[in-house]
Amino acid sequence: MWMALGALIVVVGLGGLFGYQQFQDDDDGSPRGGPVELPSTQGDFSLTQLEDDQLAVLFFGYTYCPDVCPMSMAVMRQVMQGLDDEQRRRVVPVLISVDPERDTIERLTEYVGYFGDDFIGATGSQEQLEELAARYGVVWRRVETPESAMEYTVDHSSSLYLVDREGTIRQRVLYSPAPHALRSALEQELGG
């Protein structure tokens, strides 16, 4: 019963965050995006490392997330598997952890490894993540759960961002447990 109540609280909280997220963007209603430079599972990661024809798919989450994060990562994996070799070369999936306290580079390496060799895990200091989240319109907050072995969870918004090497957000894909929205966005951007 406590688990069901906890799950209900998480769902309601995420719903509230989603609504809140819609009002946290720039004046024109869009997040600004911009540079991403963080320590990662593949050394220092920067969007500027992308080639001109590549896109990063950025997702802000954390490895201890019980539902939205593994589902979004699985959707990214499914979409990546459906791309041909050339398209797959042009897409770089990146999980940016908003839980730097627990998500070390070692932990991120293990986690993203479950989804594929192409996946990158990145994180930074609390200050770096707050600045980055503000530019991308990402809302997140720590929620203490003293009755749980995890001690806390992190409520966070769950959009995916298709971003070029300049940090320009080409498309923002709302959370979905199905791959159709991400697949469609990537096909538009990749010209497929």
Side-chain angles (χ1 to χ4, degrees):
M1 181 169 154
W2 286 110
M3 289 181 70
L5 180 59
L8 179 63
I9 290 170
V10 168
V11 169
V12 170
L14 287 175
L17 278 174
F18 176 76
Y20 180 70
Q21 173 185 2
Q22 303 309 309
F23 298 102
Q24 293 301 303
D25 303 329
D26 273 354
D27 293 338
D28 69 353
S30 301
R32 294 189 321 268
V36 174
E37 296 179 353
L38 294 169
S40 86
T41 55
Q42 297 185 5
D44 289 337
F45 173 78
S46 172
L47 288 175
T48 60
Q49 296 167 343
L50 298 177
E51 296 176 20
D52 287 338
D53 65 344
Q54 286 185 306
L55 292 174
V57 180
L58 302 181
F59 175 68
F60 294 80
Y62 68 114
T63 66
Y64 288 86
C65 179
D67 43 28
V68 172
C69 300
M71 182 62 72
S72 292
M73 296 288 285
V75 163
M76 284 196 285
R77 178 184 63 201
Q78 186 176 359
V79 170
M80 291 291 290
Q81 289 172 341
L83 299 175
D84 65 35
D85 290 343
E86 175 58 19
Q87 291 172 323
R88 195 173 307 112
R89 180 197 66 77
R90 295 177 58 197
V91 178
V92 180
V94 182
L95 167 66
I96 298 175
S97 173
V98 293
D99 184 10
E101 184 176 324
R102 291 184 294 204
D103 284 344
T104 62
I105 296 299
E106 294 76 22
R107 168 80 180 159
L108 284 165
T109 299
E110 180 183 0
Y111 186 79
V112 299
Y114 293 127
F115 298 97
D117 295 339
D118 297 327
F119 283 72
I120 296 172
T123 194
S125 69
Q126 191 80 11
E127 294 76 24
Q128 285 176 301
L129 295 171
E130 287 173 0
E131 189 272 336
L132 186 58
R135 287 191 283 109
Y136 278 83
V138 174
V139 178
W140 55 284
R141 68 184 176 95
R142 179 176 166 143
V143 178
E144 300 298 329
T145 56
E147 72 286 350
S148 166
M150 285 200 320
E151 299 178 14
Y152 68 90
T153 60
V154 181
D155 287 350
H156 59 92
S157 46
S158 54
S159 294
L160 301 170
Y161 300 86
L162 276 56
V163 181
D164 65 20
R165 67 187 315 271
E166 305 300 325
T168 303
I169 299 173
R170 305 282 285 273
Q171 291 204 41
R172 180 179 178 185
V173 181
L174 298 180
Y175 169 75
S176 172
H180 311 300
L182 179 58
R183 183 180 296 126
S184 175
L186 280 172
E187 285 174 356
Q188 289 175 18
E189 296 301 324
L190 298 175

